[in-house]
């Protein structure tokens, strides 16, 4: 294995020339993107630097409380992103999404760190935080697609669902098709990702490992673990959120509470 | 208060007592009471906005009553279990709701529910009713989405009748039908009422239906909101 190739400040400055090049093109073609490019570049540097120092601090502290705090902050942002995309919502959607992302993320990370990578303790920041980051990024997409599909279906097909209830279907029987469709839709991007990985694109994590000097085969093994982990977390997340939404939107009188679903 | 001439000859199959109902967060009717006896067809009339559809939805338990009691054969609706109750007190909405599937699959679907696990799909009767109601027995395999609104309305009615409910709650059951089809629908429902004691609450705007076809009617008075309009 090659040693990790360190990047000096001068080397980083050279990389910055690439973004300057973009700016020059923008000016030459009068695209008027220079300002956004500049803001984007500065934000990239600042955000990543801050994350870098935060991670360095957290890794050094090795405190389960700090790891938990950071995890919850990450889940909070992921929840906002997942719920913010949906055009329809219901009371409690945020709390349910937060619980779903926390549970599916921690459970899957636990399996990977404790059983696959075999880190002790399983919540070691160096492993848990990057894994949670990848999981949250993936499952928030799955969850927001599943929620969107479910809420749209329950709104558009309310007359069919209520017809089924009116003919003696239980809430579960009437809701089964929309619930299935929601989980299925939420899972599709992840499954598609597994279909094309390595052919159409090289995953960022694997590329990063290779650039940092890892053996490609080792990087591939890690990537396989990551892909399966992301699938499991997304499946778990989509199933959990649709079940929680079902429990919220159908009551024990076997009614669809259509009034709870509102446009935003 | 609804007007109801309760017959005392038989025990009512369905008793609605002092029912208050709400739509859009507003109470639209208070204290509606009606007893429906086996074989009895009761028209539910009233001006637009008086809550006729809401009344039927509340009776079958698709939405909660603000107040009041609903008894099926002297047992509260909830005591039957909601799925079992709704299978017996069955709502057919004005807008026919059919799946993207064949007519036969639509008619079979309710027999797959747990609440109907002891019943088998009576295909012969389904075919006979399709014929009798003028939809055509040969349409069993047709994609339901290709039917006209009137045909869909009749298929919805047949789907409900096949479950042999005790009470049918029909919301404008003939709104999309021509005169001949209306007569056919009335005949089939009246036959079921006479032969096996099917009772029905029928929301209608038609005075003719309320007075000639149904045995009696209840009137939901207009709400202040409706009067203001």
């Amino acid at each position: 294995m090659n040693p990790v190739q360190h990047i000096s400040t001068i080397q980083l400055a050279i990389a910055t020339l690439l973004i300057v090049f973009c700016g020059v093109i923008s000016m030459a073609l009068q695209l008027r993107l220079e300002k956004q490019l500049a803001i984007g570049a500065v934000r990239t540097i600042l955000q990543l630097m801050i994350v870098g120092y935060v991670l360095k601090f957290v890794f050094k502290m090795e405190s389960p409380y700090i790891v938990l705090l950071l995890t919850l902050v990450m889940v909070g942002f992921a929840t906002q992103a997942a719920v913010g995309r949906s055009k329809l919502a219901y009371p409690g959607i945020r709390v349910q999404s937060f619980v779903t992302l926390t549970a599916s993320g921690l459970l899957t990370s636990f399996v990977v760190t404790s059983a696959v990578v075999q880190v002790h303790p399983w919540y070691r920041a160096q492993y848990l935080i990057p894994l949670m980051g990848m999981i949250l990024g993936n499952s928030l997409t799955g969850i927001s697609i599943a929620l969107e599909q479910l809420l749209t279906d329950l709104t558009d097909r309310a007359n069919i669902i209520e017809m089924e209830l009116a003919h003696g279907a239980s809430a579960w029987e009437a809701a089964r098709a929309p619930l299935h469709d929601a989980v299925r839709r939420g899972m599709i991007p992840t499954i598609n990702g597994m279909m094309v990985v390595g052919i159409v694109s090289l995953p960022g994590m694997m590329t990063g490992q290779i650039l940092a000097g890892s053996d490609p085969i080792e990087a591939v093994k890690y990537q396989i673990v990551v892909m399966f982990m992301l699938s499991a977390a997304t499946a778990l997340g989509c199933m959990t959120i649709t079940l929680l939404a079902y429990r919220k939107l159908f009551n024990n009188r076997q009614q669809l509470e259509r009034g709870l679903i509102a446009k935003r | 208060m609804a007007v109801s001439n309760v017959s005392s000859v038989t025990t009512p199959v369905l008793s609605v007592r002092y029912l208050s109902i709400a739509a859009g967060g507003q109470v639209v009717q208070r204290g509606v009471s009606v007893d429906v006896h086996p074989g009895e067809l009761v028209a539910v009339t009233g001006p637009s906005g008086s809550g006729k559809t809401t009344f039927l939805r509340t009776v079958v338990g698709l939405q909660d009553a603000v107040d009041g009691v609903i008894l099926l054969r002297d047992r509260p609706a909830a005591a039957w279990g909601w799925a079992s109750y709704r299978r017996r007190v069955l709502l057919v909405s004005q807008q026919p709701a059919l799946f993207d599937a064949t007519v036969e699959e639509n008619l079979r679907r309710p027999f797959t529910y747990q609440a109907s696990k002891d019943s088998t799909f009576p295909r012969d009767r389904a075919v006979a009713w399709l014929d009798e109601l003028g939809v055509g027995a040969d349409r069993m395999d047709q994609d339901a989405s290709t039917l006209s609104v009137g045909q869909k309305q009749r298929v919805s009615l047949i789907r409900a009748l096949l479950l042999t409910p005790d009470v049918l709650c029909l919301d404008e059951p003939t709104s999309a039908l021509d005169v001949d089809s209306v007569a056919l629908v009335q005949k089939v429902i009246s036959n079921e009422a006479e032969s096996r004691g099917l009772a029905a609450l029928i929301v209608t705007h038609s005075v003719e239906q309320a007075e000639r076809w149904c045995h009696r009617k209840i009137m939901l008075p207009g709400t202040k909101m409706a009067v203001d309009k």
Side-chain angles (χ1 to χ4, degrees):
Chain A
M1 197 198 289
N2 301 324
V4 173
Q5 189 75 38
H6 284 284
I7 295 183
S8 68
T9 315
I10 295 169
Q11 286 167 308
L12 256 187
I14 295 171
T16 310
L17 287 177
L18 293 170
I19 209 81
V20 173
F21 173 68
C22 293
V24 170
I25 289 178
S26 168
M27 279 194 278
L29 299 178
Q30 294 183 321
L31 301 177
R32 288 193 219 148
L33 286 174
E34 306 90 79
K35 198 175 160 191
Q36 282 102 314
L37 275 170
I39 294 172
V42 171
R43 281 189 67 153
T44 301
I45 294 168
L46 281 181
Q47 286 165 199
L48 289 180
M49 281 295 184
I50 291 169
V51 168
Y53 282 108
V54 168
L55 288 180
K56 198 166 179 177
F57 169 74
V58 174
F59 291 176
K60 200 173 146 195
M61 295 299 286
E62 284 293 356
S63 156
Y65 301 108
I66 293 179
V67 172
L68 181 66
L69 181 70
L70 187 60
T71 304
L72 292 180
V73 169
M74 289 164 69
V75 175
F77 279 108
T79 302
Q80 184 53 35
V83 175
R85 288 181 197 177
S86 176
K87 291 189 198 86
L88 296 164
Y90 57 88
I93 189 172
R94 219 169 275 276
V95 174
Q96 290 193 344
S97 301
F98 187 86
V99 169
T100 301
L101 285 167
T102 309
S104 61
L106 283 179
L107 191 67
T108 323
S109 305
F110 170 73
V111 171
V112 172
T113 55
S114 65
V116 182
V117 189
Q118 297 183 350
V119 182
H120 298 287
W122 69 270
Y123 50 81
R124 259 185 84 181
Q126 193 187 339
Y127 292 86
L128 186 69
I129 299 297
L131 289 179
M132 275 300 277
M134 279 192 283
I135 288 173
L136 290 175
N138 228 66
S139 24
L140 82 85
T141 308
I143 283 175
S144 76
I145 292 173
L147 271 176
E148 183 84 28
Q149 171 74 27
L150 182 67
L151 297 180
T152 307
D153 239 15
L154 292 182
T155 308
D156 292 352
R157 294 166 50 88
N159 62 336
I160 291 273
I161 291 166
E162 289 201 323
M163 178 278 293
E164 295 210 73
L165 294 172
H167 285 68
S170 65
W172 182 251
E173 286 168 325
R176 203 162 37 195
L179 292 175
H180 278 185
D181 287 349
V183 175
R184 186 187 288 266
R185 267 305 272 283
M187 287 292 297
I188 284 175
T190 306
I191 294 170
N192 285 349
M194 286 203 288
M195 296 295 182
V196 299
V197 67
I199 301 172
V200 177
S201 65
L202 284 183
M205 191 211 75
M206 196 176 107
T207 314
Q209 265 190 301
I210 294 170
L211 286 178
S214 291
D215 174 16
I217 301 302
E218 283 304 311
V220 162
K221 284 186 198 164
Y222 258 94
Q223 191 59 44
I224 291 171
V225 171
V226 165
M227 294 302 285
F228 291 173
M229 173 187 80
L230 295 181
S231 301
T234 309
L236 201 59
C238 290
M239 279 191 288
T240 309
I241 195 66
T242 47
L243 283 176
L244 289 175
Y246 162 76
R247 288 188 64 86
K248 181 81 188 176
L249 299 170
F250 288 83
N251 61 30
N252 56 9
R253 273 105 60 217
Q254 316 287 311
Q255 296 167 338
L256 168 61
E257 300 220 43
R258 328 159 58 143
L260 292 181
I261 305 175
K263 277 187 186 163
R264 302 202 300 187
Chain B
M1 182 79 179
V3 181
S4 167
N5 305 312
V6 176
S7 152
S8 56
V9 182
T10 53
T11 315
V13 58
L14 184 78
S15 291
V16 177
R17 309 253 170 92
Y18 309 110
L19 195 72
S20 295
I21 57 174
Q26 300 260 328
V27 175
V28 288
Q29 292 294 336
R30 286 182 198 279
V32 181
S33 292
V34 58
D35 280 348
V36 187
H37 295 79
E40 193 174 34
L41 307 181
V42 180
V44 179
T45 63
S48 295
S50 58
K52 299 185 293 296
T53 297
T54 305
F55 173 69
L56 289 192
R57 284 174 56 84
T58 311
V59 165
V60 303
L62 279 182
Q63 66 183 71
D64 294 331
V66 177
D67 200 6
V69 180
I70 299 161
L71 302 169
L72 170 65
R73 300 190 187 284
D74 284 335
R75 275 174 81 193
W80 287 89
W82 286 104
S84 300
Y85 171 76
R86 290 196 193 114
R87 193 200 176 292
R88 292 174 171 83
V89 181
L90 208 162
L91 173 72
V92 181
S93 303
Q94 184 178 2
Q95 298 298 329
L98 299 178
F99 302 103
D100 290 334
T102 64
V103 169
E104 177 160 357
E105 283 165 333
N106 270 281
L107 297 176
R108 274 182 187 276
R109 182 60 169 262
F111 290 87
T112 65
Y113 306 146
Q114 190 65 19
S116 297
K117 64 178 191 304
D118 297 330
S119 313
T120 45
F121 173 63
R123 194 176 190 284
D124 292 346
R125 195 179 306 163
V127 171
W129 269 330
L130 280 173
D131 203 31
E132 212 172 318
L133 286 174
V135 179
D138 53 340
R139 298 210 191 256
M140 280 293 260
D141 297 328
Q142 187 169 328
D143 185 345
S145 65
T146 61
L147 298 175
S148 71
V149 180
Q151 287 168 330
K152 285 179 182 171
Q153 204 166 30
R154 281 170 281 172
V155 169
S156 297
L157 178 67
I158 293 169
R159 181 171 56 190
L161 285 170
L162 288 171
L163 287 168
T164 58
D166 294 334
V167 182
L168 259 188
C169 295
L170 302 171
D171 193 356
E172 300 275 5
T174 56
S175 60
L177 304 183
D178 58 44
V179 180
D180 292 340
S181 301
V182 170
L184 294 174
V185 164
Q186 291 181 351
K187 190 174 152 212
V188 165
I189 292 173
S190 294
N191 281 347
E192 283 293 288
E194 282 164 27
S195 63
R196 67 170 191 83
L198 170 73
L201 280 168
I202 303 165
V203 163
T204 179
H205 274 111
S206 157
V207 178
E208 188 274 333
Q209 274 196 356
E211 292 183 351
R212 293 201 186 159
W213 175 38
C214 296
H215 300 110
R216 62 196 176 89
K217 68 175 177 182
I218 62 166
M219 163 90 174
L220 300 183
T223 58
K224 189 164 182 302
M225 229 167 57
V227 173
D228 283 347
K229 280 177 183 173

